[in-house]
Amino acid sequence: MISANADSNYSDKTLEAMKNFAEQYAKQTDTYFCSELSVTAVVIEGLARHKQELGAPLCPCRHYEDKEAEVKNTFWNCPCVPMRERKECHCMLFINPDSDFAGNQQQISLEYIKEIRDNISS
């Protein structure tokens, strides 16, 4: 049986993996995080939660009737098909530099993501 602390460590590990993925993907695609960095933190946290619960980083900004079926379909697994094909990120995680919503960051601290997560859940 997994203790609450072990589960928390796994969550932090998954959260860090999604943070690292987002940073690397932003650099690879020449996109930037939202100028309001809390948006980025919430999306990364949602991706990590889905990765842990469903086994894939399903887009956290959409409603699904059946999340498991959507994971198998892979269309909305991050990076989703619209992002891969047209650089269109519904979540505003990866934003083209010419957008009014684009910030100048391609990095975010794990501590900041945790702070936003903890503020939302309290």
Side-chain angles (χ1 to χ4, degrees):
M1 183 169 189
I2 297 175
S3 70
N5 192 26
D7 188 44
S8 171
N9 290 339
Y10 179 71
S11 296
D12 287 351
K13 195 173 174 181
T14 305
L15 186 62
E16 185 172 13
M18 288 294 95
K19 174 196 99 65
N20 292 340
F21 155 75
E23 291 174 341
Q24 290 171 0
Y25 194 77
K27 289 174 188 167
Q28 288 173 351
T29 58
D30 192 33
T31 56
Y32 292 85
F33 295 149
C34 186
S35 58
E36 179 51 60
L37 214 49
S38 62
V39 170
T40 303
V42 169
V43 174
I44 291 172
E45 192 279 328
L47 289 171
R49 190 172 7 90
H50 279 162
K51 176 80 172 158
Q52 184 169 322
E53 293 170 1
L54 304 168
L58 185 65
C59 173
C61 302
R62 305 186 77 75
H63 172 74
Y64 308 100
E65 294 296 325
D66 184 344
K67 289 182 181 181
E68 287 81 11
E70 291 295 340
V71 165
K72 289 177 186 170
N73 184 25
T74 72
F75 188 89
W76 293 115
N77 291 348
C78 189
C80 65
V81 171
M83 181 60 202
R84 290 189 311 252
E85 290 181 355
R86 299 181 300 276
K87 282 190 173 182
E88 294 174 1
C89 181
H90 173 79
C91 295
M92 295 179 57
L93 179 57
F94 306 113
I95 303 176
N96 288 308
D98 58 347
S99 169
D100 291 342
F101 298 105
N104 58 3
Q105 299 291 316
Q106 292 177 314
Q107 292 185 306
I108 186 171
S109 75
L110 187 59
E111 293 73 27
Y112 182 72
I113 298 170
K114 288 178 183 182
E115 179 184 325
I116 296 297
R117 176 191 63 192
D118 294 345
N119 286 338
I120 290 172
S121 63
S122 51

